[in-house]
Amino acid sequence: MSRCMLSPLRLYRTSSGLQHYLPNLARACLFSSDSSSSSSSGGGSNGNGNNNKSFVRNTTILVQQGCDIQELPVVVRKVAEDEFVALISNKIIDCQPAAAQKDTELDEMVKTLEACHTVQGVCLVTDGIGEESFSPDVAVRALERILKLESLLELKNWEDKPSFEKIINCIVYRGRNETVLDVMDGLRNYLELAKTIDMLGNELVYRCSENKLSVEQCCEAIESLTQCRRFEMVEKFWSGIADQEKQITDKNIHLVFSILPYLKISRRAVLNILERRIPSVWWQMSTGCTIDVLQSLETCKMSPFRITQTLARWLNTNIHAVSEAQLEAVLESFTNLGFSDNQIERSIERYVKAKGIKVVSQSLIVSILKHCQTFRLRNSHILNGCSEFFIANHQNLDPGYLKAFLCPYGYLDFHPLNSNKFFETLDMYLDLNFTKIHPNDIIHIMFCYVCLERYPLPFVNRIFNPYFLDVLHARTRPERLDRVRSLLKVFDTSLTLECPDYDGPLLPRDHSAKAVFHDGRIKRIVNYIIPELEELAGGPNNMTKFAILQHLPVNELYLVDVIFHPPGMGSIFSLNTAKERNINVAVLIHLPEYYNASGEHLIGPQAMRIRHLRRLGLKVVTLKFDVLYKLKVHPAELRKYLVERLKQALEALPVAKGTAAAAAASTKEAGPQTEQ
């Protein structure tokens, strides 16, 4: 692609919204990228004062906004020797609008066209109409009749004939914006008419460069051209939207968002416009408009902070006015976009407090709980309100929703205020609907039970049943089988360690070699602070990294980051954990996502991990990853932090009555598995 500097470059419209993009010539450099004339912009003359269109060129322009620089396509016109006008200029001569046509005259012509039964007859009628009487409305009716009469293969042959060109030229050069857009939209199923589509598309680009298309019309043109597979043309409409930034209102802003998925090169430029505009119109936006905006962002897989924060403010302001279905749609979009803040949490809290058990939609409560779990919102008002809803409406609950109702509580390690009533209702519902729930969901529900220190013994025989296990394997996707088996082993181990009435373990130990995932951040920080850890342990022989106890299944949940142990004792894990306790120290490093959103409470699986290690007789020391990361360049402060945490080590828990024999028996198994 040849590129040459065009000089001088003139920009006449100083009050335009394009000032955000082209504040001075030092920031805007224009390059020629197309030497063709009529082909690039629908050029050519039809005797209607459009000869000047042959001077239009395709170009690219470097646009700087703050530190952001983009190369975007624009339209440039040559108005004199060595003189070019970019985007909009008062030197461009506007064409005269077509004269209004009487309804009676139009009706007569339409009747004549409808009476034609061949394309040739339609062309004869149009050829017999004078230039002044042949209006765009008549041309549109003639084109519609031709498309109805002729097949796609034959239409391609008619496209180059003078009669057909007369019809298209009348629409292109004399038709109103609405007319051109309607015809363009109607050609979505006639992609074989490439020349016609190109002429209409180039005309729309030309009118956009002259600022003749409204914001809504620019959006409609982008959608139609995308459907017609004219992707390069689509990218040139950003300038028309930028110039009419002030015309983006609460009534049409969702339309501009809706065209973002169609844009590639110029998407960021249009998004910048919307980011500047939405703070001025958000308070007037309707609920439907807000949902459309969020869904457009979902489609683009984009979550710009300024926009999502503004929409969160909208939700907090209008929470009293949204319906259940609308709130569900908004929350699902925020969840899928990966965004939540205090305003969203407050709005959900207010809604649950006001509605509570009066909510009709089960799926809304599921969406609320899913949002809380995804963003680790351990809000007691929300979670207690949802538990009340479950108790009050469990009889009408869809069995497929049970996992979604319980898992957030287990994941967040939250016990509702009405905990006993909640679990009594859960046990009763699960007993009645056990066979209606997917086996995979059953395993996740059991895992949540043990995370909350609840032990569903009545369901053990149903789960460790050959028929249930066969159905579980048959109905679980192969890529998820390992995860389900792992949860089942954790469930078995948890009951073995903590439930005196459990006659287990019921699953055999897995002796096969298996890779265990370990977060790279934890690995790096442990290796970085090894000198300090070895000093506190009493030497390198007193410490082992990244080990799994022989009493626990090979699972990433039970991977101990560092263990301090006495030297010269051989296999440190061959000790009788039922008698010798508080000798070994497990050091666990907790990442930020191991805590709830406020950073005050550990999530359920991590709290259970600590509990199980303490049941096995280990002291447990917890370290925060973010604190270690900040202190790693300050050795003195780091050592002080480690010493303080060691002093606050959690003592081993007493062996649960009835489980000592199982724990002692498990110590006779094979030695420890370590990952160095």
Side-chain angles (χ1 to χ4, degrees):
M1 182 183 295
S2 61
R3 294 182 176 180
C4 61
M5 180 68 74
L6 302 181
S7 178
L9 173 66
R10 296 191 179 183
L11 299 172
Y12 289 92
R13 191 176 178 87
T14 57
S15 61
S16 168
L18 290 171
Q19 289 177 347
H20 293 291
Y21 292 92
L22 307 175
N24 52 57
L25 291 181
R27 293 189 179 185
C29 299
L30 198 59
F31 302 92
S32 171
S33 61
D34 192 351
S35 59
S36 63
S37 57
S38 60
S39 63
S40 65
S41 260
S45 173
N46 66 341
N48 293 311
N50 291 286
N51 294 335
N52 54 342
K53 293 187 182 181
S54 63
F55 293 95
V56 175
R57 301 288 190 273
N58 291 318
T59 65
T60 57
I61 191 169
L62 293 181
V63 177
Q64 177 176 349
Q65 185 181 17
C67 297
D68 186 27
I69 300 176
Q70 291 179 261
E71 184 179 5
L72 299 172
V74 292
V75 175
V76 170
R77 173 175 298 180
K78 182 177 181 181
V79 294
E81 189 68 25
D82 295 331
E83 185 177 352
F84 294 83
V85 178
L87 307 175
I88 299 170
S89 169
N90 55 12
K91 284 194 174 185
I92 297 178
I93 302 173
D94 194 6
C95 60
Q96 296 297 323
Q101 192 172 25
K102 294 182 180 180
D103 293 339
T104 55
E105 183 181 358
L106 177 61
D107 291 340
E108 292 178 0
M109 293 181 181
V110 170
K111 289 180 181 179
T112 304
L113 291 171
E114 291 294 332
C116 299
H117 297 288
T118 63
V119 176
Q120 187 174 4
V122 175
C123 292
L124 288 174
V125 172
T126 56
D127 289 341
I129 302 175
E131 191 70 32
E132 295 181 357
S133 300
F134 192 59
S135 67
D137 292 334
V138 176
V140 170
R141 297 301 180 91
L143 179 61
E144 290 176 350
R145 188 61 180 166
I146 292 174
L147 295 177
K148 184 177 181 180
L149 291 172
E150 197 59 271
S151 65
L152 289 176
L153 294 176
E154 294 298 328
L155 282 174
K156 181 66 177 175
N157 298 329
W158 278 98
E159 194 174 22
D160 293 327
K161 296 185 178 181
S163 299
F164 192 86
E165 289 183 349
K166 177 182 178 181
I167 296 172
I168 300 302
N169 287 341
C170 181
I171 296 172
V172 168
Y173 298 120
R174 297 174 59 196
R176 299 185 303 274
N177 294 337
E178 296 81 1
T179 302
V180 179
L181 288 168
D182 289 343
V183 173
M184 189 77 212
D185 186 66
L187 293 177
R188 294 183 181 187
N189 298 324
Y190 299 90
L191 299 182
E192 290 78 4
L193 301 177
K195 180 180 177 181
T196 302
I197 293 174
D198 286 340
M199 288 185 65
L200 291 166
N202 286 325
E203 178 65 18
L204 291 172
V205 172
Y206 172 82
R207 295 187 185 190
C208 177
S209 70
E210 288 191 323
N211 200 24
K212 291 180 181 177
L213 298 182
S214 65
V215 172
E216 294 86 349
Q217 290 171 342
C218 286
C219 296
E220 186 178 348
I222 289 173
E223 182 180 0
S224 296
L225 286 169
T226 301
Q227 298 297 328
C228 292
R229 302 178 185 176
R230 296 305 187 269
F231 305 112
E232 292 184 0
M233 292 182 183
V234 165
E235 302 294 346
K236 299 171 186 175
F237 284 87
W238 71 271
S239 59
I241 296 174
D243 189 68
Q244 300 185 80
E245 179 178 332
K246 298 300 181 183
Q247 279 67 53
I248 299 177
T249 66
D250 60 294
K251 305 298 182 184
N252 60 22
I253 191 170
H254 65 288
L255 298 176
V256 185
F257 273 98
S258 69
I259 56 99
L260 288 176
Y262 304 136
L263 304 176
K264 302 300 180 188
I265 299 173
S266 57
R267 178 186 294 176
R268 190 169 60 182
V270 176
L271 190 63
N272 289 339
I273 298 169
L274 294 169
E275 283 186 321
R276 290 196 303 271
R277 190 61 185 155
I278 198 169
S280 303
V281 303
W282 69 268
W283 54 278
Q284 295 176 306
M285 289 168 57
S286 65
T287 305
C289 178
T290 302
I291 294 174
D292 290 343
V293 169
L294 286 168
Q295 291 177 347
S296 297
L297 292 175
E298 274 189 81
T299 304
C300 296
K301 297 181 180 179
M302 301 174 65
S303 182
F305 178 77
R306 189 174 180 181
I307 293 176
T308 48
Q309 186 184 46
T310 302
L311 296 178
R313 185 180 179 187
W314 178 94
L315 179 62
N316 193 31
T317 303
N318 297 277
I319 188 64
H320 63 283
V322 298
S323 66
E324 293 184 4
Q326 291 169 339
L327 178 58
E328 180 182 347
V330 171
L331 285 179
E332 284 185 355
S333 293
F334 275 124
T335 303
N336 294 335
L337 289 172
F339 178 83
S340 185
D341 64 1
N342 292 333
Q343 295 186 104
I344 295 177
E345 183 177 357
R346 285 199 303 269
S347 62
I348 299 174
E349 180 181 330
R350 288 165 52 200
Y351 191 89
V352 173
K353 283 182 176 179
K355 291 294 186 78
I357 61 176
K358 298 179 182 178
V359 175
V360 176
S361 174
Q362 301 174 10
S363 57
L364 171 59
I365 301 298
V366 169
S367 296
I368 291 174
L369 289 171
K370 180 181 178 182
H371 190 84
C372 290
Q373 178 176 346
T374 302
F375 300 101
R376 309 188 305 280
L377 303 179
R378 200 174 185 271
N379 186 301
S380 59
H381 299 288
I382 297 174
L383 296 176
N384 284 324
C386 291
S387 68
E388 291 287 352
F389 176 89
F390 173 73
I391 294 171
N393 299 277
H394 70 278
Q395 293 179 344
N396 301 319
L397 183 68
D398 185 342
Y401 283 149
L402 186 61
K403 173 188 171 185
F405 268 90
L406 179 61
C407 283
Y409 294 92
Y411 183 77
L412 296 171
D413 193 27
F414 183 86
H415 296 259
L417 288 176
N418 51 358
S419 184
N420 291 333
K421 181 65 175 177
F422 179 80
F423 280 100
E424 287 176 5
T425 305
L426 178 63
D427 292 342
M428 179 179 62
Y429 183 87
L430 187 59
D431 182 56
L432 294 174
N433 298 276
F434 190 89
T435 57
K436 299 178 182 179
I437 302 174
H438 194 287
N440 198 339
D441 291 350
I442 293 289
I443 301 303
H444 283 84
I445 291 171
M446 294 299 109
F447 179 76
C448 291
Y449 262 105
V450 295
C451 282
L452 294 170
E453 298 183 73
R454 293 279 178 167
Y455 310 110
L457 293 178
F459 303 104
V460 169
N461 291 334
R462 292 191 186 185
I463 293 172
F464 295 108
N465 179 290
Y467 174 76
F468 176 84
L469 295 177
D470 288 343
V471 174
L472 173 66
H473 283 72
R475 298 183 61 185
T476 303
R477 296 179 184 177
E479 63 271 16
R480 296 183 178 179
L481 269 177
D482 287 342
R483 173 64 178 166
V484 173
R485 291 169 180 165
S486 180
L487 291 178
L488 195 57
K489 291 177 181 178
V490 172
F491 173 69
D492 182 45
T493 300
S494 180
L495 292 179
T496 302
L497 291 175
E498 298 187 290
C499 182
D501 299 325
Y502 181 66
D503 188 17
L506 300 180
L507 294 177
R509 277 188 49 81
D510 185 4
H511 296 281
S512 60
K514 186 182 298 183
V516 180
F517 171 78
H518 200 196
D519 196 286
R521 291 170 291 176
I522 296 178
K523 285 185 177 181
R524 288 190 292 271
I525 200 66
V526 167
N527 291 329
Y528 196 90
I529 63 174
I530 278 294
E532 289 79 4
L533 292 175
E534 289 180 347
E535 179 185 355
L536 294 175
N541 295 329
N542 294 35
M543 186 185 79
T544 302
K545 298 186 300 180
F546 314 137
I548 294 179
L549 302 183
Q550 63 185 18
H551 316 84
L552 300 173
V554 181
N555 186 293
E556 62 190 59
L557 180 65
Y558 293 126
L559 185 61
V560 182
D561 302 320
V562 177
I563 293 183
F564 294 165
H565 53 81
M569 296 185 64
S571 177
I572 66 169
F573 307 113
S574 61
L575 298 175
N576 188 335
T577 56
K579 296 181 179 179
E580 302 181 27
R581 310 178 68 78
N582 291 315
I583 296 176
N584 307 304
V585 180
V587 180
L588 306 180
I589 298 176
H590 288 150
L591 297 169
E593 57 264 34
Y594 290 176
Y595 293 88
N596 71 324
S598 65
E600 298 176 0
H601 300 276
L602 281 170
I603 60 175
Q606 294 300 320
M608 182 176 66
R609 175 194 190 191
I610 294 174
R611 200 167 62 244
H612 288 179
L613 293 176
R614 295 175 68 192
R615 289 287 185 190
L616 290 173
L618 281 76
K619 285 186 176 181
V620 177
V621 176
T622 59
L623 306 175
K624 288 188 175 183
F625 171 82
D626 50 357
V627 175
L628 293 175
Y629 190 81
K630 292 177 182 177
L631 297 180
K632 68 178 185 177
V633 294
H634 304 286
E637 294 295 326
L638 175 61
R639 189 180 186 283
K640 181 180 178 181
Y641 172 72
L642 294 175
V643 170
E644 290 178 354
R645 295 306 302 165
L646 281 171
K647 290 180 179 178
Q648 299 175 17
L650 300 173
E651 297 287 335
L653 292 172
V655 179
K657 184 179 179 181
T659 63
S666 65
T667 60
K668 300 178 182 179
E669 300 287 345
Q673 304 175 51
T674 62
E675 177 190 348
Q676 296 292 349

